[in-house]
Amino acid sequence: MMNDNYPRAILFDLDDTILDTTLSADRLWTQASKQFADEIGRSPDEIDRQMRQAREWFWSDPQRNQVGRLDLFKARAGCVEHALEQMDAGDNGLATRIATWFTDRRIPAMKPFDGALEALAKLKDAGVRLGLISNGKGETQREKVVRFGLEPYFDCIILEGEFGAGKPDRRVFDHALEELGVTPGQAWMVGDNLQWEVAAPQKLGIQGVWVDWRGAGLPEDALVVPDRVIQSIAELIE
Ligand SMILES: [Mg+2]
C-alpha cells in the first residue's frame, strides 16, 4: 500500500546524508592531532586547527575536490602536508604516515545518523523505490555500502568510481530513474550538497530535498531553493 505522502522513488546521497561523514572525520583528525603532537612539536589544539583549515582550503576548490575525492589518500596527505608547512613542522614522510594512520581508521569511525536506517527500511516497506547515488572512488564507497549493510535497502546503487560519472552529471540521474522505472516527476533526490543533490536534479524535474545536517540553514548567498529542507532523513517518515 503506497503512502500518499511518499513519492514513487527516492534517490539518496550517502555521505553526510545517510552516514555521519564530516563529523566522524573531524573527530578522527582531532585524535590524529593528539597522536602525532609530540612528533610535530606543536600542541594538539594548534595541529587540529591547522589541519581543519588545510582541509577547508583543499576541499573548497571544485577542481581539487573532483580529483581528490577519487584519490582520498593523496588528498589527505596533501592536506596534512599543507598544515605541516603552515606550522613550519614535519616533512613529507610524516604527512604520509599521518594520512595512513587516518585512512586505516576512517571507515570504521563512520556511522549511520540516528534513525537513518530505520527511515530507509520504512520507506522500502511502504513500497518506495530507493536509489543510492554517491560520488567518490568505487572501492571506498562500496566498502561503506557493504560495511553498513546498505545494499538490501536499494533497488539501484550508482557509485561514481564504478559508473564512470558523478553528480551533477545528468547521466547518473537519468540512469537511476531508468533503473527504478520512474519519471523525474515521480522522484525526489535527497542529499546535503545543494549543487549536486538539489540544483542538478531540479533541472531535470526531480524534487530536491536538502539535508541540512548542521542545522545551519541555507547559506545567505544560496541561489538554490530546495523543495524541502530536513535536518535528518528520519524526518521523511514522520
Ligand atoms: Mg553528501
Side-chain angles (χ1 to χ4, degrees), residues 89-104:
D91 56 25
N92 267 340
L94 182 56
T96 302
R97 273 194 294 125
I98 295 173
T100 302
W101 184 96
F102 181 92
T103 300
D104 288 346

Side-chain angles (χ1 to χ4, degrees), residues 143-164:
E143 188 182 340
K144 295 177 200 172
V145 167
V146 171
R147 180 175 189 99
F148 297 105
L150 301 178
E151 269 164 330
Y153 298 104
F154 295 99
D155 303 291
C156 162
I157 296 178
I158 302 176
L159 308 178
E160 181 182 23
E162 293 177 356
F163 184 67

